[in-house]
Amino acid sequence: MTVAVFSIPRYVLSHVFVHPLGSVGDYLCRFVTGGNLMWTGGAASVFTLVTIAFERRDVVARPYHVIRQLSKAKLRALVLSSWTFACLLNLPLFFIMSYDSEDNFCIETWPDPLLPKLYGIIWFCVVGALPIFFMAVVYSKVVYQLWMRKSITLRINRRAILIPRKATKMAITLTVIYSICWLPNLILYILAFNLSDTVYGSPLYRWTVVLTCLNSTVNPFVYTLQSRRFRVSVKRALLCK
């Protein structure tokens, strides 16, 4: 919802209204039309996916370790930490975003040309390369435990591993979709400040933003198709039960 709401002014309705100039326009870019809150929501989503990956690992590999179970208190702390870290990661954008009347687009005006290069690399590592690497390693272990390990325990308790398998399939699907949708934008973001400034805000760059928005759009459908409990909960919410 955060991604959808704050991507619309920047990429859909930018030609429908006249953007204010001066300090008012700059502040509007930083908090509404610049998409900063959209990227904050996107960063929080990948941190949540990493949390889910480690939770799947613990459920499958250490099902009887009560101390490692994801309690409600731990879950609240993890969610809060994900959003806090996402806000800190995007904090510089709330100071350097400004409105460019010639391009009719909110742009990043960094005080030093080296800073956007470093920031792009940080974004690629923290939101792209490292999370995807960690999730790939963790899920490879989970897949080995659930599908490839031929132990007596697993053969006897087929029904006991059915639910972890279904939940893990959903989590892996979300991870693959995330990688496909986010990597093009993260790569172009680095190229924009290292090779050519024309890349930033170009039609190709905007199409990569469409992919990132598609990621947030697809997730609820993945949940709905693969989780009966999610379908039941959505139905109860729609019926106000």
Side-chain angles (χ1 to χ4, degrees), residues 1-5 7-8 38 42 45 174 177-178 181-182 209-225 230:
M1 290 171 62
T2 304
V3 172
V5 168
S7 65
I8 290 175
M38 175 185 76
S45 70
L174 294 174
I177 292 174
Y178 175 85
C181 291
W182 274 84
V209 175
V210 171
L211 276 177
T212 61
C213 295
L214 179 65
N215 177 66
S216 297
T217 306
V218 167
N219 285 348
F221 291 97
V222 175
Y223 292 134
T224 303
L225 291 173
F230 188 84

Side-chain angles (χ1 to χ4, degrees), residues 182-216:
W182 274 84
L183 282 179
N185 180 266
L186 294 172
I187 293 172
L188 277 188
Y189 187 73
I190 292 180
L191 296 179
F193 295 104
N194 285 272
L195 295 180
S196 175
D197 293 339
T198 59
V199 174
Y200 188 77
S202 65
L204 178 61
Y205 181 83
R206 296 190 186 209
W207 274 110
T208 63
V209 175
V210 171
L211 276 177
T212 61
C213 295
L214 179 65
N215 177 66
S216 297

